[in-house]
Amino acid sequence: MHSLYQNTRFLTGATSLKGMPEDTGREVAFAGRSNAGKSSALNRICHQKSLARTSKTPGRTQQINFFQVADGRYLVDLPGYGFARVPGGLQREWGAFIGRYLQHRRSLVGLIVLMDIRRPLTSLDEQLLDLCAQACIPVHILLTKADKLSRSASLAALRELKKQLQARGYSASAQCFSATRGTGLEEVQELLDRWLEAESA
Ligand SMILES: Nc1nc2c(ncn2[C@@H]2O[C@H](COP(=O)(O)OP(=O)(O)OP(=O)(O)O)[C@@H](O)[C@H]2O)c(=O)[nH]1
Ligand SMILES: [Mg+2]
């Protein structure tokens, strides 16, 4: 049993860089399109039902929520992108904010980017990957809601994503994930252990 994340607790919510907790320790942030399953993934990883609020209404997570895994170890739930009416480009504010966060947050050791397995690597996702590359932040992609596809279709989607990442010069790693079934849970937890330099209990 991988219990390191079980005691994770909500620390604070911020709406700006200034409102964030002190920039010390190590943190991993979860980003992705609105409704991609960021909050659900966090809850599953932490073995808690309602640590992060999930919703059928896109755009539920409006603030940057910090969760403390252990002393100086944090997981961060970022607001989703792609639900506002603003056409083209990352919504300007979100893009400007995330750009600053990626560039300046010293505690940030890696980004988990979530994409619905049925609709991966949209142009907004690519803009996020570009920002991460510019800021030299490592990226791991979760193809979420893998329970919506058969196992073979999921693996085919993962292969196709990896091919596209390589063709476009992105160095991100990727895996399938399902918050409902727990598919891929250990794989992402092991990666988080490494990024956070945390010891599993
Ligand atoms: N079938 C299935 N549904 C999922 C999974 N993960 C999330 N969902 C559903 O997808 C919807 C959105 O999930 P959230 O976790 O709230 O998504 P989010 O990315 O945090 O959304 P925002 O906070 O609005 O950006 C909810 O209805 C979830 O129940 C999954 O692994 N499988
Ligand atoms: Mg959310």
Side-chain angles (χ1 to χ4, degrees), residues 34-93:
S34 192
N35 214 44
K38 297 174 290 299
S39 301
S40 302
L42 264 164
N43 287 340
R44 184 73 201 217
I45 287 165
C46 298
H47 304 283
Q48 296 182 40
K49 283 210 161 53
S50 50
L51 183 66
R53 280 176 72 189
T54 63
S55 172
K56 288 199 191 337
T57 319
R60 162 59 64 205
T61 310
Q62 295 281 9
Q63 52 174 18
I64 310 138
N65 288 320
F66 285 80
F67 301 92
Q68 182 167 11
V69 174
D71 249 10
R73 302 290 184 268
Y74 307 95
L75 298 175
V76 182
D77 192 8
L78 294 170
Y81 48 85
F83 73 92
R85 295 132 228 102
V86 186
L90 274 184
Q91 298 151 53
R92 201 174 299 142
E93 262 180 50

Side-chain angles (χ1 to χ4, degrees), residues 21-33:
E22 207 187 335
D23 193 2
T24 58
R26 299 176 77 84
E27 71 193 32
V28 174
F30 287 59
R33 285 184 76 88

Side-chain angles (χ1 to χ4, degrees), residues 3-184:
S3 61
L4 172 69
Y5 300 93
Q6 260 171 208
N7 298 322
T8 302
R9 62 180 184 88
F10 175 72
L11 185 68
T12 188
T15 48
S16 69
L17 291 181
K18 282 198 193 109
M20 289 186 176
E22 207 187 335
D23 193 2
T24 58
R26 299 176 77 84
E27 71 193 32
V28 174
F30 287 59
R33 285 184 76 88
S34 192
N35 214 44
K38 297 174 290 299
S39 301
S40 302
L42 264 164
N43 287 340
R44 184 73 201 217
I45 287 165
C46 298
H47 304 283
Q48 296 182 40
K49 283 210 161 53
S50 50
L51 183 66
R53 280 176 72 189
T54 63
S55 172
K56 288 199 191 337
T57 319
R60 162 59 64 205
T61 310
Q62 295 281 9
Q63 52 174 18
I64 310 138
N65 288 320
F66 285 80
F67 301 92
Q68 182 167 11
V69 174
D71 249 10
R73 302 290 184 268
Y74 307 95
L75 298 175
V76 182
D77 192 8
L78 294 170
Y81 48 85
F83 73 92
R85 295 132 228 102
V86 186
L90 274 184
Q91 298 151 53
R92 201 174 299 142
E93 262 180 50
W94 193 94
F97 158 74
I98 194 78
R100 285 196 304 277
Y101 173 69
L102 295 173
Q103 289 283 349
H104 300 301
R105 186 84 177 161
R106 285 185 311 248
S107 312
L108 181 68
V109 295
L111 204 72
I112 302 284
V113 176
L114 294 91
M115 303 177 189
D116 190 315
I117 196 161
R118 298 161 297 178
R119 207 156 92 81
L121 209 58
T122 64
S123 63
L124 292 171
D125 296 325
E126 285 199 48
Q127 289 178 51
L128 176 60
L129 296 183
D130 289 339
L131 289 172
C132 291
Q134 280 161 29
C136 298
I137 300 291
V139 173
H140 182 68
I141 297 171
L142 298 187
L143 285 182
T144 62
K145 311 189 188 183
D147 54 281
K148 298 276 190 186
L149 297 181
S150 69
R151 188 174 150 72
S152 61
S154 294
L155 292 174
L158 180 61
R159 265 198 309 277
E160 177 59 28
L161 172 74
K162 286 183 172 172
K163 216 166 75 185
Q164 290 188 20
L165 290 171
Q166 201 177 22
R168 293 170 207 192
Y170 295 119
S171 58
S173 51
Q175 66 163 99
C176 295
F177 184 83
S178 164
T180 28
R181 294 233 182 106
T183 315

